[in-house]
Amino acid sequence: MVAPESPRARAGASLEIEVAWVDAAGRVALRALSLPAGARVDDALGALEPSERDALRAGLDSGGLAVAIYGKAQPREAPLRDRDRVELVATLAVDPKLARRRRVQQRRGEGADPRWKRR
């Protein structure tokens, strides 16, 4: 859920946001940023340190990373609200529901375990 717009943001003050991702060492990185009102996700990425910004943009451009705000997928042009958390997350290789459905079909086809038979 995206946080409701605060009165401070409506008044034209700066936006306080966080950018979160998992770095190459597997640690969660979290950066607090102050951006002007009307900023977008790409503006938040541009405000990071050059080494962080370049690595994250490369991941986004290659399709290995996706942008989310509070866990909900968003485009890079999405506007930000005060106290948003921008998350850069790994994209899913396969939809989890589809993967489970395929596993069940495979186990049913093997016929080894009666639990997987259709009733």
Side-chain angles (χ1 to χ4, degrees):
M1 183 171 127
V2 176
E5 193 172 8
S6 72
R8 236 177 44 173
R10 275 184 255 129
S14 66
L15 305 175
E16 301 299 322
I17 66 153
E18 291 181 329
V19 179
W21 71 94
V22 176
D23 65 15
R27 295 181 305 258
V28 175
L30 188 64
R31 301 291 181 268
L33 300 173
S34 182
L35 299 171
R40 300 188 179 280
V41 171
D42 255 350
D43 299 328
L45 295 176
L48 295 171
E49 295 292 323
S51 60
E52 296 170 339
R53 176 183 59 231
D54 295 341
L56 293 172
R57 282 194 173 152
L60 288 167
D61 292 341
S62 71
L65 291 176
V67 174
I69 297 178
Y70 288 112
K72 185 175 179 185
Q74 299 289 332
R76 288 169 67 171
E77 303 81 30
L80 295 171
R81 296 180 179 176
D82 194 32
R83 293 179 290 207
D84 271 352
R85 183 181 63 234
V86 176
E87 301 158 351
L88 301 164
V89 295
T91 56
L92 294 176
V94 177
D95 177 34
K97 288 181 183 180
L98 179 60
R100 184 178 188 289
R101 189 174 299 125
R102 287 179 181 165
R103 285 192 308 270
V104 168
Q105 288 173 347
Q106 179 183 4
R107 289 181 182 137
R108 281 185 181 145
E110 292 169 358
D113 192 340
R115 291 181 299 169
W116 296 104
K117 297 284 186 195
R118 284 199 180 261
R119 295 181 185 158

